[in-house]
Amino acid sequence: MTDVRALPDDVAETIGRTQYEETGEFPVERGYVWTTCSSVENGNPLFWDDDVAAEITGGPVAPPTMLSVWFRPHHWAPGRTGEAQPLQVHFDLKERFSLPEAVISDNTITFHEPVRPGDVVSSRQVLRSVSEEKTTRLGTGRFWVIDVEYRNQRAELVGVESYTGFGYRRETQA
Amino acid sequence: MTILTLDEVKEGEELPPLSYDVTATTVVLGALASRDWRPMHHDHDFAVHRNGTRDIFLNTPNQAAWFERYLTDWTGPRGRLGRMRFRMKGSVFPGDTMALSGSVRTVEVDDTGCGWVDLDLALRVGDQTCTECSARIAVPVTADDNPWDRRSGRWRP
């Protein structure tokens, strides 16, 4: 548990609050499904054979582990002036605490309703906790836990991802 | 087509190992397939000089896709993932041979009648465990059962 009294007020007040409610920039599509399956040589007929998909899942679905794919912004888009980040709360915390580097150390994904081609997936981020300063072999910084909830266009929960991030400063940067 | 049923799964059972020679293409293809544009997954100079790593390295969503493929190779298409947890302990670089392994921790049927297998998985390079993964996957209890039919209260991942 985070002792919120040990955190700056502006950070403490964001804990448990919904941030960055966003809708995916494109509908779920099969091209990415096949590219992903190809990248790991996944021959599951559910993703390649429409008859199998119809029989087992009532039509095509995306691999469950592609959940985060549908909320990652384009690298560039018309009118965009800055770099869009896929897990903005993580980058906000890096900046807030002046921690130039960060890694994700733990990631838990819970899968609910299947994601299907044509779905438009929305996400929202919730900061769960921020640790005090700690030193690891990477450097000195803070751990934080961020949940990302995903829903389809019918507001059905399709999954929840929970990330543990570690923002840090390498010793040579101290 | 493999259709694994719950009665065929034994606690302590080891899954068939999977070995794969990772190249720069593996890393970049996985990063782009997961729409992850961060440079440490495609830019060697950035990875080495900014991140301080040996080379570009496999990203987490693509590792998730590798573990999913590994599990459903075993269960067949009626296997339905419920939950995965990853702990990253090291990186996987071009030139590495990564080895996926797994063992069944528990087998159970929940009170909705859904069959679940909990597994401990690992991705290793040589003697180093790079990623640990615990996974929970629904497997048909009988030949005519289909976990993908489950919705709302009958699906408790």
Side-chain angles (χ1 to χ4, degrees), chain B residues 101-120:
Chain B
S101 61
S103 62
V104 174
R105 190 173 354 111
T106 58
V107 181
E108 63 178 12
V109 177
D110 72 18
D111 57 13
T112 72
C114 187
W116 290 103
V117 182
D118 284 292
L119 301 105
D120 297 311

Side-chain angles (χ1 to χ4, degrees), chain B residues 116-128:
Chain B
W116 290 103
V117 182
D118 284 292
L119 301 105
D120 297 311
L121 308 173
L123 188 164
R124 294 190 180 89
V125 174
D127 295 334
Q128 189 196 7

Side-chain angles (χ1 to χ4, degrees), chain A residues 25-26 32 35-36 38-47 52 55-57 61-66 68-75 83 85-86 90-91 94 100-102 104-114 137 154 156 164 168 170 173, chain B residues 1 3 18 20 26 29-30 32-40 46 48-52 59-69 72-73 76-90 136 146 148-152 155-157:
Chain A
E25 291 183 337
F26 63 103
Y32 263 112
T35 302
T36 294
S38 175
S39 76
V40 296
E41 301 182 12
N42 183 350
N44 188 340
L46 205 51
F47 310 119
V52 172
E55 179 200 332
I56 296 179
T57 59
V61 294
T65 57
M66 289 187 73
S68 67
V69 171
W70 314 117
F71 98 120
R72 291 173 189 272
H74 301 314
H75 188 257
E83 188 180 358
Q85 304 288 5
H90 175 75
F91 293 93
K94 279 181 69 180
E101 312 298 340
I104 300 293
S105 62
D106 277 75
N107 178 209
T108 301
I109 322 174
T110 309
F111 307 101
H112 291 273
E113 280 298 296
R137 64 185 170 82
R154 293 178 296 280
E156 296 164 333
T164 301
Y168 64 98
R170 290 162 68 184
Q173 294 169 327
Chain B
M1 186 166 67
I3 300 288
L18 172 70
Y20 195 84
T26 315
L29 181 58
L32 298 190
S34 53
R35 298 174 56 79
D36 184 348
W37 328 117
R38 288 175 302 164
M40 56 277 211
F46 183 97
V48 171
H49 299 300
R50 175 66 190 270
N51 275 115
N59 77 342
T60 306
N62 190 236
Q63 290 191 30
W66 275 104
F67 280 117
E68 176 177 357
R69 174 244 159 130
T72 55
D73 277 359
R78 286 205 199 171
R80 180 179 174 187
L81 277 173
R83 185 183 292 259
M84 296 176 104
R85 180 177 187 190
F86 304 92
R87 177 159 292 164
M88 277 69 76
K89 307 175 83 170
R136 181 166 172 77
N146 179 10
W148 290 95
D149 289 339
R150 296 182 162 273
R151 299 200 65 189
S152 58
W155 177 249
R156 296 182 193 161

